[in-house]
Amino acid sequence: METHNALISILILLFIAIIVSIAVRRVKLPYSIGLVLAGFGLGYSKLFPTMAIDPSIIIYIFLPALLFDSAFNASITNLTHHWKVIFALAIPGTIISILVVGAMAHFAMDIPWMSSLLFASLIVPTDTISILSVFKELKMPAKLTTLVEGESLFNDGTAIIIFKLILSLILVENFTLDELNYTSFTLSLILSYAGGFALGMAGGYGAGWVMKKVKDHLVEIMFTVMVIYGIFLLAEELTVSSIIAVVTTSLMLGTFRQRMAISATTQIALSSFWSFAAFTLNSVLFIIIGLQVNFSMLLDHFGIILIALFAVNLGRVVFIYPFSLLVNIFGRRKMKELPDEIPFKWQHVLVLGNLKGSLSMALVISLPDSLIYKEQLTVLTFGIVFLSLIIQGTTLRPILKLFKLQTISTDQIEFDKRQGLIISAKSVLTALDAEFHSGMITSSVYQSLKEQYEFTIQNAEQSLTRLQTKNPALADSHLQNTYYQMLTLQRTVIQNAYTQNIICEDAAIDLMKNFDAQMATISWTRNEDA
């Protein structure tokens, strides 16, 4: 009966996610924020029972899949080009943020040093799902997107390593900060990070080699599931960073895909499967976050939650601006022609994008009940996650628009306007023909309007030709997009022909593999240009 009820609850959550995904497109709200608000509304109105989160499910089931989807689809070229900045943000940046947030929690909220640092380590990890969805929609610069995405992939690993180390020390009776062996602590951090990286490299290379030999996309999908969860569990067993291991493995497999070492059919199947898995898991997670928020608890502790939220963002500010200044100074000295800078507006975005999510909630729930300050840390964490998503998540879009960071060129906007005119005018001509032939309009009206819309189409096509001559990249992009759509159509036709027994299976497979290879090449070209 419990299984039956659990299944019904999951189906209801998925239905809510579908409704929210449709609704947020109309109100221009990030999908994840809409899910949190929906979950909060359901919980507050008592229309849906509060669901207890088992932290092990989030950490062992949800997290590896979400990490794989993010890392596998990341641009390897962009990540490697900016790896120094990304690792500086993810490692020293995370450590400095933990120290600042921990100090604020200690002095402002009267929490002992070790417990305050534990709280800082679990609240520092960022959740960039909402940010990256807005970035994609507004066409943010590729480098800025890479910095945000790359930092998110690795700072979780840093924070969780520190979280586990501090928790293990706290569980030692009467342990204080004065007794901390900083050399041993630092060495443990380095070994855990390096061990996770080495394990991920080995797992990714081995998995890529096997997948190159298999040549069966269904088996390869199953194999990636086994590898990702297997690497995660093995890393936990070896006491190295499981997050860094999974991220590294996923990046390695992404590199194999980019080099076409994995068949095009498998590439498309893998992307589709893991994108669906990530979308489903994220949908359920964000609704559950909303369901967990207790409104009366939020009000009772609102003041201290605001102080904690301020501390979390202060930790971000203290690192981002000085670090960006150093990057800009040294970047200009090393590369005078093309300095690797972080513009001032980008620094604001890196600070404002400090959203929190399910990982922080899972970590705080996983704390042992014997921990004295667990209840207080749980209240602070839930409140910060909710407020950061609602306040920072909803204000991100207008702030980005205010900064005018969009990379859509004026030529591209003009191209789209002319194309829109052609599409609308041709639709009108089709409707006019139907009206005229059905006797609904007279010949004179038909001829007059037909000439008018044909003139509009002619002018728009001439403008498109001039724009493409002026900016050849527009013509290339338009050709690639159109070609991709035609290949998709060809693939669908071949699949239907095979289903209807018009062509044999071997012919259909060979043709679809050919189309998949061409589509994969176009996809990578478009991603690298973005």
Side-chain angles (χ1 to χ4, degrees):
M1 193 64 182
E2 289 182 6
T3 303
H4 179 267
N5 292 334
L7 181 58
I8 291 176
S9 296
I10 292 171
L11 291 175
I12 292 172
L13 291 179
L14 293 178
F15 177 73
I16 293 167
I18 292 170
I19 299 299
V20 171
S21 67
I22 296 170
V24 294
R25 294 175 189 233
R26 297 181 178 273
V27 295
K28 297 293 183 181
L29 189 70
Y31 175 63
S32 55
I33 310 299
L35 291 171
V36 171
L37 289 172
F40 177 70
L42 288 171
Y44 181 70
S45 61
K46 309 295 183 184
L47 293 175
F48 195 88
T50 301
M51 296 182 67
I53 303 178
D54 184 343
S56 62
I57 291 178
I58 294 177
I59 293 173
Y60 288 99
I61 304 298
F62 284 55
L63 189 57
L66 297 176
L67 289 171
F68 178 83
D69 180 65
S70 298
F72 183 70
N73 291 305
S75 170
I76 309 300
T77 303
N78 291 341
L79 287 175
T80 52
H81 186 69
H82 305 296
W83 72 269
K84 292 179 182 178
V85 178
I86 289 170
F87 273 93
L89 288 168
I91 302 176
T94 300
I95 294 171
I96 290 172
S97 296
I98 288 173
L99 292 174
V100 173
V101 175
M104 284 282 291
H106 174 70
F107 292 111
M109 292 174 269
D110 197 28
I111 300 174
W113 265 114
M114 293 302 290
S115 295
S116 63
L117 289 173
L118 182 71
F119 165 68
S121 64
L122 69 86
I123 202 64
V124 159
T126 56
D127 194 313
T128 57
I129 296 168
S130 307
I131 307 168
L132 293 176
S133 65
V134 176
F135 275 22
K136 184 177 180 181
E137 180 186 336
L138 297 181
K139 305 290 185 184
M140 290 293 106
K143 180 183 172 183
L144 175 58
T145 303
T146 300
L147 293 181
V148 172
E149 185 177 29
E151 182 199 1
S152 176
L153 287 173
F154 292 99
N155 82 339
D156 290 354
T158 306
I160 290 180
I161 292 171
I162 295 174
F163 170 83
K164 288 182 176 180
L165 290 173
I166 293 175
L167 181 60
S168 65
L169 293 174
I170 290 177
L171 294 178
V172 176
E173 190 175 357
N174 298 323
F175 187 90
T176 63
L177 189 63
D178 296 332
E179 301 174 72
L180 179 63
N181 185 325
Y182 293 98
T183 303
S184 176
F185 188 90
T186 304
L187 184 62
S188 298
L189 175 62
I190 294 171
L191 288 176
S192 183
Y193 212 99
F197 185 76
L199 179 61
M201 288 284 287
Y205 184 82
W209 183 84
V210 171
M211 291 172 70
K212 189 177 179 180
K213 302 293 183 182
V214 173
K215 305 296 184 185
D216 185 325
H217 65 280
L218 294 177
V219 174
E220 289 174 86
I221 289 172
M222 188 184 298
F223 184 68
T224 57
V225 174
M226 185 194 75
V227 167
I228 295 307
Y229 285 99
I231 287 288
F232 191 90
L233 294 173
L234 181 59
E236 290 284 305
E237 195 68 27
L238 297 174
T239 64
V240 298
S241 175
S242 51
I243 288 182
I244 299 302
V246 169
V247 167
T248 307
T249 299
S250 306
L251 288 172
M252 286 288 292
L253 290 176
T255 304
F256 275 99
R257 179 177 77 160
Q258 189 170 354
R259 293 175 180 173
M260 296 298 182
I262 300 174
S263 70
T265 302
T266 299
Q267 291 180 39
I268 293 172
L270 276 174
S271 292
S272 299
F273 171 80
W274 284 105
S275 293
F276 168 74
F279 177 78
T280 303
L281 293 175
N282 272 320
S283 299
V284 172
L285 267 181
F286 280 107
I287 293 176
I288 290 175
I289 288 175
L291 285 169
Q292 296 299 309
V293 177
N294 186 309
F295 188 67
S296 59
M297 175 208 74
L298 206 62
L299 288 178
D300 292 342
H301 300 88
F302 193 69
I304 196 168
I305 290 172
L306 281 181
I307 293 173
L309 182 61
F310 172 76
V312 168
N313 285 291
L314 180 65
R316 190 77 173 161
V317 168
V318 166
F319 176 75
I320 290 294
Y321 291 110
F323 168 73
S324 300
L325 180 63
L326 291 174
V327 168
N328 293 345
I329 291 172
F330 287 105
R332 291 192 197 103
R333 288 180 180 177
K334 290 185 177 181
M335 295 182 290
K336 293 182 179 179
E337 295 182 2
L338 188 62
D340 191 14
E341 295 186 357
I342 303 177
F344 197 50
K345 289 182 179 179
W346 290 18
Q347 297 170 36
H348 300 331
V349 175
L350 290 173
V351 170
L352 291 169
N354 190 28
L355 274 66
K356 308 305 170 189
S358 55
L359 180 57
S360 296
M361 296 176 69
L363 290 176
V364 78
I365 295 172
S366 69
L367 294 173
D369 294 332
S370 58
L371 198 69
I372 298 173
Y373 288 89
K374 179 178 180 178
E375 185 177 350
Q376 188 175 353
L377 298 186
T378 303
V379 169
L380 290 175
T381 303
F382 276 52
I384 289 172
V385 170
F386 182 72
L387 290 182
S388 75
L389 287 170
I390 300 306
I391 297 173
Q392 292 169 249
T394 53
T395 56
L396 184 64
R397 185 192 306 272
I399 290 173
L400 289 176
K401 287 185 176 180
L402 182 66
F403 290 161
K404 297 181 179 178
L405 295 175
Q406 293 94 325
T407 56
I408 303 176
S409 65
T410 305
D411 287 344
Q412 183 65 61
I413 293 171
E414 290 300 317
F415 184 92
D416 290 349
K417 284 166 65 177
R418 299 298 180 274
Q419 193 174 16
L421 280 174
I422 293 171
I423 292 169
S424 60
K426 287 192 174 183
S427 295
V428 170
L429 285 177
T430 302
L432 276 174
D433 284 337
E435 294 283 297
F436 174 66
H437 288 106
S438 64
M440 298 296 291
I441 56 176
T442 62
S443 177
S444 59
V445 170
Y446 171 69
Q447 289 298 331
S448 175
L449 291 176
K450 182 182 178 184
E451 289 174 7
Q452 177 182 329
Y453 282 102
E454 285 177 342
F455 181 72
T456 299
I457 292 169
Q458 184 181 0
N459 277 346
E461 287 178 340
Q462 289 173 354
S463 297
L464 285 180
T465 302
R466 287 194 295 270
L467 284 168
Q468 290 174 328
T469 303
K470 174 187 171 185
N471 187 351
L474 290 175
D476 292 339
S477 176
H478 187 54
L479 175 62
Q480 285 183 1
N481 290 334
T482 306
Y483 187 36
Y484 190 90
Q485 292 171 13
M486 295 305 103
L487 287 170
T488 304
L489 177 61
Q490 281 185 280
R491 196 184 191 284
T492 303
V493 170
I494 293 299
Q495 200 164 21
N496 290 338
Y498 165 65
T499 303
Q500 297 169 18
N501 294 320
I502 298 173
I503 60 175
C504 67
E505 182 179 4
D506 290 342
I509 290 173
D510 286 344
L511 287 169
M512 286 193 289
K513 281 184 178 179
N514 181 40
F515 296 144
D516 288 343
Q518 295 177 69
M519 290 164 69
T521 304
I522 294 171
S523 293
W524 276 112
T525 304
R526 294 192 301 186
N527 288 340
E528 294 303 321
D529 290 341

